[in-house]
DNA sequence: CCCTGATTCGC
DNA sequence: GCGAATCAGG
């Protein structure tokens, strides 16, 4: 493949958004991350190293939204049943238990895009963990099912019935199917669950 | 180990 | 110009 204007543009866009070279390579297809990095340098998009320019870098990145329609108001969607392919004996000590991928099949479909009402089970998860998750979702790799690997967080975000659906994709925590933040809501000490209402 | 970006250098 | 190989971290 060659660096058509279109591809270069996407490259610039993604690089500007802070996407990694490997991600950009996957998006573009037909090129390796090395190719992307090489191109980035040739384009002079490299970072501000060696240099100076101090930290004037105004990094306000509240919404690096792509194209197409609407903004994703980050609906706090819950996983309906993550593909937990890591049967790797968690051996979660006796103080841990799985709580996240609850609600195997939600009876009714909640339209995405709209603020979802607090899920019942949400109250069983520590507020800190939830805050961490919503924060982490902004840094998520937003991978598709096909892009998941043994070491990318498999926490689903959004409604599978819509376009606004993807998997976290951040590096998983050793041995776990999720990244640190998601492990936080997926596995938690029973102690914290004990008193929690219900 | 897995992942990052940076550099080199033959093509 | 291109990008695999390699290097240097995290």
């Amino acid at each position: 493949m060659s660096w058509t204007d279109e591809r270069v543009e996407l490259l610039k866009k993604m690089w500007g958004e802070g996407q990694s070279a490997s991600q950009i390579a996957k998006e573009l297809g037909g090129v390796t991350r090395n190719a992307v990095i090489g191109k980035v340098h040739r384009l002079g998009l490299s970072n501000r190293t060696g240099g100076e320019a101090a930290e004037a870098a105004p990094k306000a990145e509240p919404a690096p939204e792509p194209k197409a329609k609407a903004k994703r108001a980050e609906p706090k969607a819950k996983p309906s049943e993550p593909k937990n392919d890591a049967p790797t004996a968690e051996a979660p000590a006796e103080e841990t238990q799985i709580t996240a991928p609850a609600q195997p099949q939600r009876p009714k479909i909640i339209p995405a895009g709209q603020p979802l009402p607090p899920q019942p089970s949400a109250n069983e998860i520590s507020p800190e963990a939830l805050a961490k998750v919503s924060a982490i979702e902004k840094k998520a790799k937003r991978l598709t099912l096909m892009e998941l690997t043994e070491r990318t967080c498999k926490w689903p975000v959004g409604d599978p019935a819509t376009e606004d659906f993807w998997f976290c994709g951040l590096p998983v925590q050793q041995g776990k199917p999720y990244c640190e933040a998601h492990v936080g809501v997926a596995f938690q000490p029973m102690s914290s669950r004990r008193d929690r209402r219900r």
Side-chain angles (χ1 to χ4, degrees), chain A residues 66-157:
Chain A
K67 62 290 246 58
K69 53 191 61 175
K71 44 71 171 285
R72 42 190 53 145
E74 10 223 303
K76 299 287 190 296
K78 291 188 59 49
S80 57
E81 187 53 87
K83 295 297 176 290
N84 185 331
D85 69 335
T88 38
E90 296 281 307
E94 25 209 279
E95 277 300 294
T96 297
Q97 85 172 241
I98 302 176
T99 61
Q103 297 184 309
Q105 275 92 31
R106 192 177 304 148
K108 64 176 182 178
I109 298 174
I110 297 178
Q114 289 302 308
L116 299 176
Q119 298 299 304
S121 57
N123 294 321
E124 298 178 25
I125 301 174
S126 70
E128 312 87 61
L130 285 179
K132 204 174 180 183
V133 170
S134 53
I136 208 69
E137 286 181 3
K138 292 170 185 168
K139 295 177 182 175
K141 301 299 182 184
R142 303 198 172 195
L143 302 182
T144 63
L145 182 59
M146 306 299 273
E147 300 173 325
L148 292 176
T149 72
E150 301 70 40
R151 36 191 89 52
T152 54
C153 180
K154 299 165 188 62
W155 191 272
V157 178

Side-chain angles (χ1 to χ4, degrees), chain A residues 27-98:
Chain A
E27 184 75 24
L28 289 170
V31 289
T32 64
R33 75 183 193 88
N34 278 314
V36 170
I37 292 173
K39 187 60 179 175
V40 163
H41 281 227
R42 269 171 256 128
L43 288 172
L45 296 172
S46 214
N47 57 356
R48 48 215 113 191
T49 52
E52 341 356 56
E55 283 307 317
K59 260 319 155 189
E61 40 150 292
E65 271 342 283
K67 62 290 246 58
K69 53 191 61 175
K71 44 71 171 285
R72 42 190 53 145
E74 10 223 303
K76 299 287 190 296
K78 291 188 59 49
S80 57
E81 187 53 87
K83 295 297 176 290
N84 185 331
D85 69 335
T88 38
E90 296 281 307
E94 25 209 279
E95 277 300 294
T96 297
Q97 85 172 241
I98 302 176

